[in-house]
Amino acid sequence: MTARFRLRQALVIARLEMKRVFLSRRSLWIYALALLPAVLFLAHSLRLRYEMDKARAGGTVAPAAVEAIEEGMSEEQVLALAGKPGEDRARTVRRTRRREEAGREIFETREVRTRRMVYFDGARRAFLWFEDGRLRSKEVRPVLNFAEDREVYAGVFQYFYLRLAIFFGCLGIFLNLFRGELMDKTLHFWLLAPARREVLLAGKFLAGWAAASAVFTGGAMLAFAAMLWPHMGAGAEAYWQGPGAMHAARYALAALMGCAGYGSLFLAASLWIRNPIVPAAVLLLWEASSGFLPELLQKLSVLYYLQSMCPVPAPMERDVPTLLQLILAPAAPLSPWLALPGLFAFSALVLWAAAAGARRIEINYSTD
């Protein structure tokens, strides 16, 4: 048989397996896992659009007028400078103050008239708090913060998708390619087909990789689009014409190769080990603790190569404990042009080892 014929066999097997993988009830939780960030970003975007529409409905003022407002001004001065606010709420509250006099505690209660005004300059909202007719506090907040939303997406992608969703999603998909059919007692039909075991392995891997990539790459791109949606304007257009398209492509590539790297490991584990959950737990521990390892050992983890493909590092708060920073922060990343072939070579090596396991499969449903 020629290599071309074997490739056609593998593609036919992959096409048949794709239907089973996508339509299996065992995959429903994987879809929910992949789409969860997109749903959350969509909810966040809807809230931002609502706040923007609400702010516009109250009218806009010139940015210079917002900048000219200073603490200590009277209500009349602010109204003369900026005009009628978009939101205006006033109320009277009772405040109690404690003081000591001649060794005794004296409590004084008085009524304070407070007022909150909100102005919108087209991009920012200015919150003004008055007490007894004087401006005591001023806070200016942007309604949309594109840079912050991009940082949040980078964190969600690297901490949720790469470390959790793709890992456990591939665990569910690739372990079922052989073990699932053993449980359903249908694997012997594949073994009776006139195809080599290596071809069967390749076809099943291609089916699992295509399914996992479609689910998780699609979910990541839906979340990316939901993140961009409320910012569609000059800022988002400039970003998309600049590094935006490359950022999206690198996120998609990281998700694609994450499915290949973890998928090959779980497929090999299901063929070599009777209970593949044990090596899966060991792999999870190895990937999670790679930050403690020397740089050379970190390069033996799939996560290191995936993080190197990401366009920006994941954000990390300064007050995060040092121990957690060691876990989350990778070593100096590789160039994406080195990380991509490196992970390809790793996946190919694992599949080569898995082929030996495929050749020694023996069906015994009474024990499996």
Side-chain angles (χ1 to χ4, degrees):
M1 294 184 183
T2 64
R4 183 177 179 181
F5 179 75
R6 289 174 182 167
L7 177 60
R8 289 177 59 188
Q9 281 187 313
L11 292 177
V12 170
I13 294 172
R15 179 173 57 82
L16 296 174
E17 280 289 284
M18 284 281 289
K19 297 179 182 179
R20 189 177 68 86
V21 173
F22 273 116
L23 300 179
S24 173
R25 287 180 295 179
R26 298 189 183 108
S27 302
L28 295 179
W29 66 273
I30 298 174
Y31 301 149
L33 195 66
L35 294 176
L36 177 61
V39 173
L40 295 179
F41 273 108
L42 179 60
H44 174 67
S45 298
L46 289 173
R47 183 182 65 83
L48 291 180
R49 294 293 291 259
Y50 170 77
E51 291 184 358
M52 181 64 76
D53 293 341
K54 181 180 177 181
R56 287 172 178 161
T60 60
V61 298
V66 173
E67 297 296 335
I69 298 174
E70 298 179 353
E71 293 185 6
M73 284 185 170
S74 66
E75 296 176 359
E76 292 75 14
Q77 289 176 312
V78 172
L79 290 172
L81 183 64
K84 182 180 178 180
E87 296 180 29
D88 191 357
R89 295 179 183 177
R91 63 174 182 168
T92 300
V93 298
R94 297 173 64 88
R95 291 187 178 174
T96 302
R97 186 182 65 166
R98 183 181 70 87
R99 64 183 179 89
E100 292 186 3
E101 184 176 308
R104 296 184 306 166
E105 288 186 347
I106 300 176
F107 294 89
E108 296 179 347
T109 302
R110 70 186 187 94
E111 292 186 346
V112 178
R113 189 177 67 86
T114 64
R115 187 175 184 181
R116 191 192 74 159
M117 298 182 186
V118 181
Y119 288 95
F120 178 61
D121 67 357
R124 305 171 302 167
R125 286 194 295 181
F127 295 84
L128 311 178
W129 286 275
F130 295 85
E131 286 187 8
D132 292 332
R134 292 288 172 181
L135 180 60
R136 299 303 182 193
S137 177
K138 170 188 173 182
E139 184 178 355
V140 180
R141 307 174 195 166
V143 179
L144 304 177
N145 193 330
F146 192 27
E148 182 180 87
D149 285 351
R150 294 203 309 270
E151 284 189 2
V152 170
Y153 180 84
V156 168
F157 185 83
Q158 295 193 40
Y159 295 141
F160 178 78
Y161 269 114
L162 296 186
R163 294 176 180 270
L164 294 175
I166 293 179
F167 183 93
F168 287 104
C170 289
L171 176 66
I173 290 174
F174 285 87
L175 286 187
N176 281 325
L177 291 177
F178 281 96
R179 288 289 163 183
E181 296 222 39
L182 279 172
M183 293 173 59
D184 296 337
K185 297 184 178 181
T186 57
L187 183 60
H188 63 281
F189 292 115
W190 284 115
L191 300 184
L192 292 174
R196 298 183 60 174
R197 300 290 179 85
E198 295 88 344
V199 175
L200 176 62
L201 174 73
K204 282 183 170 286
F205 173 76
L206 289 175
W209 187 21
S213 299
V215 172
F216 289 107
T217 304
M221 292 299 97
L222 282 175
F224 191 79
M227 181 271 295
L228 286 177
W229 179 44
H231 305 281
M232 297 310 293
E237 289 179 5
Y239 169 72
W240 197 252
Q241 292 174 1
M246 180 57 69
H247 284 188
R250 289 180 63 174
Y251 282 127
L253 182 63
L256 185 72
M257 293 309 300
C259 295
Y262 289 126
S264 61
L265 285 170
F266 292 133
L267 185 59
S270 69
L271 290 169
W272 278 103
I273 302 173
R274 184 174 297 276
N275 184 7
I277 298 300
V278 175
V282 173
L283 178 60
L284 178 62
L285 181 62
W286 175 267
E287 295 286 306
S289 61
S290 61
F292 290 106
L293 303 175
E295 185 172 347
L296 180 60
L297 293 180
Q298 286 192 37
K299 294 180 180 179
L300 298 179
S301 68
V302 175
L303 184 62
Y304 173 76
Y305 295 91
L306 298 180
Q307 289 181 314
S308 297
M309 295 180 195
C310 294
V312 294
M316 188 177 300
E317 298 291 339
R318 295 182 179 179
D319 56 352
V320 172
T322 304
L323 183 63
L324 189 57
Q325 290 185 20
L326 287 174
I327 295 176
L328 298 179
L334 282 175
S335 165
W337 305 111
L338 295 177
L340 178 61
L343 196 51
F344 257 123
F346 171 79
S347 300
L349 181 63
V350 173
L351 290 176
W352 175 79
R359 285 192 293 268
R360 66 181 183 87
I361 290 180
E362 294 182 2
I363 298 298
N364 188 348
Y365 292 134
S366 63
T367 59
D368 291 320

